[in-house]
Amino acid sequence: MVDVILGLQWGDEGKGKIVDYFAKNYDVIARFQGGPNAGHTLYVNGSKIVLHQIPSGIFHEDKINLIGNGVVLDPITLKKECEAVASFGVDYRKNLFISERTHLILPTHRALDQASEVSKGQDKIGSTLKGIGPAYMDKTGRNGLRVGDLLDKTFITQYIKLRTKHQILLDNFNFQEDISTWEEEFFESIEFLRSLNIVNGEYFINEKINKGMRILAEGAQGSMLDVDFGTFPFVTSSNTISAGVCSGLGIAPQKIKEVIGITKAYCTRVGSGPFPTELLDATGDFLRNAGNEFGSTTGRPRRCGWMDLVALQFACMINGVTQIVMTKADILDALEELKVCTSYTINGVETNQVPFQMNNLNITPNFETFNGWNTDISNLNSFETSPKEMKNYIEYINKFLAVPVKFISNGPARDQIILT
Ligand code: GDP
Ligand code: IMO
Ligand code: MG
């Protein structure tokens, strides 16, 4: 049995916290896409830690954590992350496993990401510059190197061949930076990676499913950043939606049961691209400050706005979401009035559908307005005793999406969560 937790917006919905919370109910926690562009924040005994590639189940001693074939893996970041979790007493040599089919991010992928963004000028995607796009391009272009290749004695020859191809592209971009330090770090880190548990991920996970073990697939980014269904081209380079679980882990679709979608009680986006409900006013600034909306990976300020039910409904449809977790409800505590977007007006026509492209459209969001609850809910531990304004807000969302909000998160700590 496989359940999935994924983001329904533009990322940073609180997946790390929620996966860490749910991990107790599972045997295996597996990442199926993305790479070091992700930043999943967890609090362990009061200390904050941000995971980029290691699944968010790593702090549960008895759980298996798998980095699946759909991930693109930067060995340099992985080594640093392993050292960081080890400082919390985690024995990653025992409970971290990596699929041999996982593609590697090379130093030249990172360089290409930078060079490509610079060449786009005003039209830049706002990439995290971690080499994600170029690494996935080499995967689909059938050039990439995989974790399993590290164990082959021809690895260095394969590496040089690919690096030479990349150098031609970098010369074309007129990329001047010296990447020799990255390369030194890369070779140190692949030595380390070779010493970890490298497995045949698809047999590994299916054997566990067949034994009746419970699997939790952990998404990165969010549905609106999906390469097919997101706000293309301002997206990431992988399938962030539930379909990505099958190809990113080697799991058949009928094995998937619950699809748990996470949304913030409002909405954020980091990087460029359309964001219909964005607030460029004092309320937007309030959400950024109260919600500490600064990127977990890059530190960039996140753009903030109201919840967008048109986009959320679309995300529920393409993912087959069966239940919703609403995070950061506590950030709305101080607001007198709340809004949710219920339709878009595009060229004078009202629609409740997400258009195939939003970049060159003038989209006006139409809102439903609610009274805020204006109470501190961070210590709340039952839905029954929650403010009636919050109940109204949730009830409206439930009805609109026809998917229940099952949990409300009211603070960053593991136990700040209420069952509705
Ligand atoms: P992820 O990428 O989806 O894992 O999310 P991030 O970790 O990038 O960003 C979510 C941020 O919100 C982190 O700083 C979390 O600690 C924090 N967070 C998660 N849930 C809540 C919540 O319910 N309330 C508050 N105040 N913070 C939360
Ligand atoms: P988590 O898992 C928020 C955004 C970048 C950029 C676009 C493409 O923490 O939710 P990329 O580096 O993938 O080429 O960037 O996607 N982005 C994220 N935004 N959270 C993330 O991950 C993100 N990963 C990528 O800001 O706009
Ligand atoms: Mg994040």
Side-chain angles (χ1 to χ4, degrees), residues 185-219:
E185 269 190 289
F186 178 79
F187 279 101
E188 261 175 50
S189 308
I190 59 171
E191 274 313 312
F192 172 78
L193 177 49
R194 277 191 186 111
S195 74
L196 300 181
N197 301 305
I198 297 173
V199 295
N200 180 316
E202 55 281 16
Y203 283 105
F204 183 84
I205 205 154
N206 280 293
E207 277 160 14
K208 300 208 167 11
I209 294 172
N210 293 341
K211 278 191 201 154
M213 291 169 85
R214 291 155 305 171
I215 316 294
L216 179 61
E218 173 182 2

Short mmCIF file of all heavy atoms in Angstrom, two decimals, residues 185-219:
data_model
loop_
_atom_site.label_atom_id
_atom_site.label_comp_id
_atom_site.label_asym_id
_atom_site.label_seq_id
_atom_site.Cartn_x
_atom_site.Cartn_y
_atom_site.Cartn_z
N GLU A 185 35.02 19.01 -4.90
CA GLU A 185 33.99 18.61 -3.92
C GLU A 185 33.17 17.44 -4.46
O GLU A 185 32.82 16.53 -3.73
CB GLU A 185 33.02 19.78 -3.68
CG GLU A 185 33.39 20.70 -2.57
CD GLU A 185 32.23 21.66 -2.29
OE1 GLU A 185 32.00 22.55 -3.14
OE2 GLU A 185 31.56 21.51 -1.27
N PHE A 186 32.87 17.50 -5.77
CA PHE A 186 32.08 16.45 -6.40
C PHE A 186 32.78 15.10 -6.28
O PHE A 186 32.18 14.10 -5.86
CB PHE A 186 31.84 16.80 -7.88
CG PHE A 186 31.07 15.75 -8.64
CD1 PHE A 186 29.69 15.67 -8.53
CD2 PHE A 186 31.72 14.84 -9.47
CE1 PHE A 186 28.96 14.70 -9.23
CE2 PHE A 186 31.01 13.88 -10.17
CZ PHE A 186 29.63 13.81 -10.05
N PHE A 187 34.09 15.07 -6.58
CA PHE A 187 34.80 13.79 -6.54
C PHE A 187 34.95 13.26 -5.11
O PHE A 187 34.88 12.05 -4.89
CB PHE A 187 36.12 13.88 -7.30
CG PHE A 187 35.87 13.72 -8.79
CD1 PHE A 187 35.83 14.82 -9.63
CD2 PHE A 187 35.58 12.47 -9.32
CE1 PHE A 187 35.53 14.69 -10.98
CE2 PHE A 187 35.28 12.32 -10.68
CZ PHE A 187 35.26 13.43 -11.50
N GLU A 188 35.10 14.16 -4.16
CA GLU A 188 35.11 13.74 -2.75
C GLU A 188 33.76 13.13 -2.39
O GLU A 188 33.69 12.10 -1.72
CB GLU A 188 35.28 14.98 -1.86
CG GLU A 188 36.67 15.24 -1.37
CD GLU A 188 36.67 16.57 -0.63
OE1 GLU A 188 35.79 16.78 0.26
OE2 GLU A 188 37.51 17.39 -0.99
N SER A 189 32.71 13.80 -2.86
CA SER A 189 31.36 13.40 -2.46
C SER A 189 30.92 12.10 -3.14
O SER A 189 30.16 11.34 -2.56
CB SER A 189 30.35 14.49 -2.80
OG SER A 189 30.78 15.70 -2.26
N ILE A 190 31.42 11.84 -4.35
CA ILE A 190 30.99 10.57 -4.96
C ILE A 190 31.68 9.39 -4.28
O ILE A 190 31.13 8.29 -4.23
CB ILE A 190 31.16 10.52 -6.51
CG1 ILE A 190 32.58 10.73 -6.94
CG2 ILE A 190 30.20 11.46 -7.20
CD1 ILE A 190 32.79 10.46 -8.42
N GLU A 191 32.85 9.62 -3.72
CA GLU A 191 33.48 8.56 -2.91
C GLU A 191 32.56 8.20 -1.76
O GLU A 191 32.32 7.05 -1.44
CB GLU A 191 34.82 9.05 -2.34
CG GLU A 191 36.00 8.86 -3.27
CD GLU A 191 36.03 7.47 -3.89
OE1 GLU A 191 35.89 6.48 -3.15
OE2 GLU A 191 36.15 7.39 -5.13
N PHE A 192 32.04 9.25 -1.12
CA PHE A 192 31.12 9.08 0.01
C PHE A 192 29.85 8.36 -0.46
O PHE A 192 29.40 7.39 0.16
CB PHE A 192 30.80 10.47 0.58
CG PHE A 192 29.72 10.46 1.61
CD1 PHE A 192 29.98 10.06 2.91
CD2 PHE A 192 28.43 10.87 1.29
CE1 PHE A 192 28.97 10.05 3.86
CE2 PHE A 192 27.42 10.86 2.24
CZ PHE A 192 27.70 10.44 3.53
N LEU A 193 29.30 8.83 -1.59
CA LEU A 193 28.05 8.25 -2.11
C LEU A 193 28.21 6.76 -2.40
O LEU A 193 27.31 5.95 -2.11
CB LEU A 193 27.62 9.04 -3.36
CG LEU A 193 26.39 8.60 -4.15
CD1 LEU A 193 25.18 8.38 -3.26
CD2 LEU A 193 26.04 9.65 -5.21
N ARG A 194 29.37 6.39 -2.94
CA ARG A 194 29.64 4.97 -3.23
C ARG A 194 29.54 4.10 -1.98
O ARG A 194 29.25 2.92 -2.06
CB ARG A 194 31.07 4.82 -3.77
CG ARG A 194 31.20 5.07 -5.24
CD ARG A 194 32.60 4.62 -5.72
NE ARG A 194 32.78 5.00 -7.11
CZ ARG A 194 33.62 5.94 -7.54
NH1 ARG A 194 34.39 6.59 -6.69
NH2 ARG A 194 33.70 6.22 -8.82
N SER A 195 29.81 4.72 -0.82
CA SER A 195 29.84 3.93 0.42
C SER A 195 28.44 3.78 1.03
O SER A 195 28.27 3.10 2.04
CB SER A 195 30.77 4.60 1.43
OG SER A 195 30.14 5.77 1.96
N LEU A 196 27.43 4.43 0.44
CA LEU A 196 26.07 4.34 1.00
C LEU A 196 25.33 3.12 0.43
O LEU A 196 25.86 2.39 -0.41
CB LEU A 196 25.30 5.63 0.68
CG LEU A 196 25.91 6.92 1.25
CD1 LEU A 196 25.03 8.12 0.90
CD2 LEU A 196 26.08 6.85 2.77
N ASN A 197 24.08 2.93 0.87
CA ASN A 197 23.29 1.78 0.40
C ASN A 197 22.69 2.07 -0.96
O ASN A 197 21.66 2.75 -1.05
CB ASN A 197 22.14 1.50 1.37
CG ASN A 197 22.63 1.19 2.77
OD1 ASN A 197 23.45 0.30 2.95
ND2 ASN A 197 22.15 1.95 3.74
N ILE A 198 23.34 1.57 -2.02
CA ILE A 198 22.82 1.78 -3.37
C ILE A 198 22.06 0.51 -3.76
O ILE A 198 22.61 -0.59 -3.70
CB ILE A 198 23.98 2.07 -4.35
CG1 ILE A 198 24.67 3.38 -3.92
CG2 ILE A 198 23.47 2.16 -5.79
CD1 ILE A 198 25.92 3.71 -4.68
N VAL A 199 20.79 0.69 -4.09
CA VAL A 199 19.93 -0.49 -4.31
C VAL A 199 19.19 -0.40 -5.63
O VAL A 199 19.11 0.65 -6.25
CB VAL A 199 18.88 -0.63 -3.17
CG1 VAL A 199 19.54 -0.91 -1.84
CG2 VAL A 199 17.99 0.62 -3.08
N ASN A 200 18.64 -1.54 -6.02
CA ASN A 200 17.74 -1.55 -7.16
C ASN A 200 16.38 -1.11 -6.60
O ASN A 200 15.64 -1.91 -6.02
CB ASN A 200 17.67 -2.97 -7.73
CG ASN A 200 16.75 -3.03 -8.91
OD1 ASN A 200 15.65 -2.46 -8.88
ND2 ASN A 200 17.18 -3.69 -9.95
N GLY A 201 16.08 0.19 -6.76
CA GLY A 201 14.95 0.80 -6.06
C GLY A 201 13.61 0.16 -6.35
O GLY A 201 12.78 0.02 -5.46
N GLU A 202 13.39 -0.24 -7.61
CA GLU A 202 12.06 -0.76 -7.98
C GLU A 202 11.80 -2.14 -7.35
O GLU A 202 10.71 -2.40 -6.86
CB GLU A 202 11.84 -0.77 -9.50
CG GLU A 202 12.87 -1.50 -10.35
CD GLU A 202 14.16 -0.71 -10.59
OE1 GLU A 202 14.43 0.27 -9.88
OE2 GLU A 202 14.93 -1.12 -11.48
N TYR A 203 12.82 -3.01 -7.30
CA TYR A 203 12.64 -4.29 -6.61
C TYR A 203 12.56 -4.07 -5.10
O TYR A 203 11.74 -4.67 -4.40
CB TYR A 203 13.79 -5.26 -6.94
CG TYR A 203 13.63 -5.88 -8.31
CD1 TYR A 203 14.41 -5.47 -9.38
CD2 TYR A 203 12.69 -6.89 -8.54
CE1 TYR A 203 14.27 -6.03 -10.64
CE2 TYR A 203 12.54 -7.46 -9.79
CZ TYR A 203 13.32 -7.02 -10.84
OH TYR A 203 13.17 -7.57 -12.08
N PHE A 204 13.42 -3.18 -4.63
CA PHE A 204 13.49 -2.86 -3.20
C PHE A 204 12.11 -2.47 -2.68
O PHE A 204 11.62 -3.01 -1.69
CB PHE A 204 14.49 -1.71 -3.04
CG PHE A 204 14.76 -1.27 -1.63
CD1 PHE A 204 15.71 -1.93 -0.85
CD2 PHE A 204 14.11 -0.17 -1.09
CE1 PHE A 204 15.98 -1.51 0.45
CE2 PHE A 204 14.38 0.26 0.21
CZ PHE A 204 15.32 -0.41 0.97
N ILE A 205 11.45 -1.55 -3.40
CA ILE A 205 10.18 -1.03 -2.88
C ILE A 205 9.03 -2.01 -3.12
O ILE A 205 8.16 -2.19 -2.27
CB ILE A 205 9.89 0.39 -3.44
CG1 ILE A 205 8.97 1.14 -2.48
CG2 ILE A 205 9.31 0.39 -4.83
CD1 ILE A 205 9.09 2.64 -2.54
N ASN A 206 9.04 -2.69 -4.28
CA ASN A 206 7.94 -3.63 -4.55
C ASN A 206 7.99 -4.85 -3.63
O ASN A 206 6.94 -5.38 -3.26
CB ASN A 206 7.92 -4.01 -6.03
CG ASN A 206 7.26 -2.91 -6.85
OD1 ASN A 206 6.06 -2.68 -6.72
ND2 ASN A 206 8.03 -2.20 -7.65
N GLU A 207 9.20 -5.27 -3.27
CA GLU A 207 9.28 -6.37 -2.30
C GLU A 207 8.65 -5.95 -0.98
O GLU A 207 7.95 -6.73 -0.33
CB GLU A 207 10.75 -6.76 -2.06
CG GLU A 207 11.29 -7.71 -3.12
CD GLU A 207 12.81 -7.73 -3.19
OE1 GLU A 207 13.48 -7.22 -2.27
OE2 GLU A 207 13.32 -8.27 -4.21
N LYS A 208 8.87 -4.69 -0.61
CA LYS A 208 8.32 -4.20 0.66
C LYS A 208 6.79 -4.09 0.57
O LYS A 208 6.08 -4.43 1.51
CB LYS A 208 8.96 -2.87 1.03
CG LYS A 208 10.46 -3.07 1.16
CD LYS A 208 11.11 -2.14 2.06
CE LYS A 208 12.52 -2.54 2.43
NZ LYS A 208 13.18 -3.62 1.69
N ILE A 209 6.30 -3.62 -0.59
CA ILE A 209 4.84 -3.52 -0.77
C ILE A 209 4.24 -4.93 -0.68
O ILE A 209 3.22 -5.14 0.00
CB ILE A 209 4.50 -2.88 -2.14
CG1 ILE A 209 4.96 -1.41 -2.15
CG2 ILE A 209 3.00 -2.98 -2.44
CD1 ILE A 209 4.86 -0.73 -3.51
N ASN A 210 4.88 -5.90 -1.33
CA ASN A 210 4.36 -7.28 -1.32
C ASN A 210 4.36 -7.90 0.07
O ASN A 210 3.56 -8.78 0.36
CB ASN A 210 5.15 -8.15 -2.30
CG ASN A 210 4.90 -7.71 -3.73
OD1 ASN A 210 3.91 -7.02 -3.99
ND2 ASN A 210 5.80 -8.05 -4.63
N LYS A 211 5.25 -7.43 0.92
CA LYS A 211 5.28 -7.94 2.31
C LYS A 211 4.25 -7.25 3.19
O LYS A 211 4.18 -7.48 4.39
CB LYS A 211 6.66 -7.66 2.92
CG LYS A 211 7.72 -8.67 2.56
CD LYS A 211 8.94 -8.42 3.44
CE LYS A 211 10.18 -9.01 2.81
NZ LYS A 211 11.39 -8.30 3.24
N GLY A 212 3.50 -6.31 2.60
CA GLY A 212 2.47 -5.60 3.38
C GLY A 212 2.99 -4.38 4.10
O GLY A 212 2.31 -3.82 4.96
N MET A 213 4.21 -3.95 3.76
CA MET A 213 4.74 -2.75 4.42
C MET A 213 4.07 -1.50 3.83
O MET A 213 3.57 -1.53 2.71
CB MET A 213 6.27 -2.69 4.26
CG MET A 213 6.95 -3.77 5.07
SD MET A 213 8.70 -3.96 4.70
CE MET A 213 9.43 -2.74 5.75
N ARG A 214 4.04 -0.44 4.62
CA ARG A 214 3.36 0.78 4.20
C ARG A 214 4.38 1.82 3.70
O ARG A 214 5.37 2.09 4.37
CB ARG A 214 2.55 1.35 5.36
CG ARG A 214 1.35 0.46 5.72
CD ARG A 214 0.93 0.65 7.16
NE ARG A 214 2.07 0.40 8.05
CZ ARG A 214 2.07 0.65 9.34
NH1 ARG A 214 1.02 1.16 9.92
NH2 ARG A 214 3.15 0.39 10.09
N ILE A 215 4.07 2.36 2.54
CA ILE A 215 5.01 3.29 1.88
C ILE A 215 4.38 4.68 1.85
O ILE A 215 3.21 4.83 1.50
CB ILE A 215 5.27 2.87 0.40
CG1 ILE A 215 5.48 1.35 0.26
CG2 ILE A 215 6.40 3.70 -0.23
CD1 ILE A 215 6.70 0.78 0.88
N LEU A 216 5.18 5.69 2.16
CA LEU A 216 4.73 7.08 2.00
C LEU A 216 5.64 7.76 0.98
O LEU A 216 6.85 7.86 1.19
CB LEU A 216 4.81 7.82 3.35
CG LEU A 216 4.39 9.29 3.31
CD1 LEU A 216 2.93 9.44 2.88
CD2 LEU A 216 4.59 9.96 4.68
N ALA A 217 5.04 8.17 -0.14
CA ALA A 217 5.81 8.86 -1.17
C ALA A 217 5.76 10.36 -0.89
O ALA A 217 4.67 10.91 -0.71
CB ALA A 217 5.24 8.55 -2.54
N GLU A 218 6.92 10.98 -0.83
CA GLU A 218 7.02 12.40 -0.47
C GLU A 218 7.32 13.25 -1.70
O GLU A 218 8.38 13.12 -2.30
CB GLU A 218 8.15 12.59 0.57
CG GLU A 218 8.44 14.05 0.87
CD GLU A 218 9.61 14.24 1.87
OE1 GLU A 218 10.21 13.22 2.30
OE2 GLU A 218 9.90 15.40 2.22
N GLY A 219 6.40 14.12 -2.05
CA GLY A 219 6.61 14.99 -3.20
C GLY A 219 7.51 16.17 -2.86
O GLY A 219 7.67 16.53 -1.70
#
